[in-house]
Amino acid sequence: MATLPPEPYHMLYIKTLLEPGTEGTDSVRFRFEGTNDLNSPWTTVGSSSFVWYYQTVYYTHSYAETPLERGGVLVLDASMPWPYRLYLSISMLFYGMWLITLALACFGHRVKSTIVLNMTVQFVLRIAFGIIKIKWAWQDDAYHVHAFVMGTTLLVAAIWIEYLEELSDVLCIFVGIVQIGM
């Protein structure tokens, strides 16, 4: 009989004790592990802290911001926030537009303007996301930096294709270097 892989818990909460003077017993750093049965290895399914990178949550096990007031509650919600789902959907739109471009090229249509349009739309969407991310600062991470760098790279690529199409090999090297650097 096969076992199911462990699923991460998306939300945990810490409630501090009500009694005064119990601050030293508060949970501030922990790892939450689970297993499907006693014969399987234990796997981390939750933590006192976490970060998102694309569709993967990484448990960092650093200190939680446990409230000092007695009876206070700290919610550790590791489910993917809507801004990250939005950013991933921007990427899916990018790939979808490339599929349209590929289909047009297969049917013999000129696609240079479609490529430039795709990159320009991605520039606008990623810069807008970066600005919104900075304004509302959902989590302390660098998604806005990624959005700004990728948006700017796509704008440079769009301009490059529009005016320097014969140097497209150099453009591929430029985009590759930026991707490796990210």
Side-chain angles (χ1 to χ4, degrees):
M1 185 167 137
T3 60
L4 297 173
E7 289 290 323
Y9 289 87
H10 291 296
M11 188 179 294
L12 304 168
Y13 72 93
I14 298 171
K15 183 174 182 181
T16 60
L17 296 173
L18 294 172
E19 296 81 23
T22 57
E23 291 84 2
T25 63
D26 291 344
S27 298
V28 293
R29 186 175 180 190
F30 62 89
R31 177 184 312 193
F32 189 52
E33 294 182 331
T35 183
N36 287 332
D37 59 46
L38 294 177
N39 296 325
S40 298
W42 288 75
T43 306
T44 301
V45 294
S47 174
S48 53
S49 61
F50 55 88
V51 294
W52 275 99
Y53 186 72
Y54 287 96
Q55 296 181 350
T56 306
V57 64
Y58 292 97
Y59 299 108
T60 58
H61 317 303
S62 60
Y63 293 99
E65 297 177 10
T66 306
L68 293 177
E69 71 269 5
R70 301 296 80 205
V73 175
L74 170 66
V75 176
L76 298 168
D77 184 2
S79 59
M80 184 180 281
W82 70 266
Y84 298 96
R85 288 193 305 266
L86 173 65
Y87 193 66
L88 289 173
S89 65
I90 290 171
S91 296
M92 292 301 111
L93 175 66
F94 181 67
Y95 298 127
M97 290 177 75
W98 278 116
L99 289 175
I100 292 170
T101 302
L102 180 62
L104 289 171
C106 287
F107 288 109
H109 297 280
R110 295 183 47 86
V111 293
K112 179 179 175 179
S113 59
T114 309
I115 293 170
V116 171
L117 174 67
N118 184 8
M119 291 181 171
T120 305
V121 167
Q122 286 298 310
F123 161 73
V124 171
L125 291 175
R126 290 173 193 269
I127 296 299
F129 174 84
I131 292 169
I132 292 168
K133 176 78 170 66
I134 287 174
K135 183 166 176 59
W136 282 285
W138 293 287
Q139 255 184 324
D140 186 24
D141 59 27
Y143 259 77
H144 62 284
V145 174
H146 187 273
F148 288 140
V149 170
M150 287 308 301
T152 304
T153 302
L154 289 164
L155 178 64
V156 168
I159 293 168
W160 199 312
I161 288 173
E162 184 65 34
Y163 299 107
L164 300 170
E165 185 177 0
E166 62 278 357
L167 296 175
S168 60
D169 293 344
V170 178
L171 171 66
C172 291
I173 293 169
F174 168 72
V175 172
I177 290 170
V178 171
Q179 284 291 331
I180 291 171
M182 292 303 295

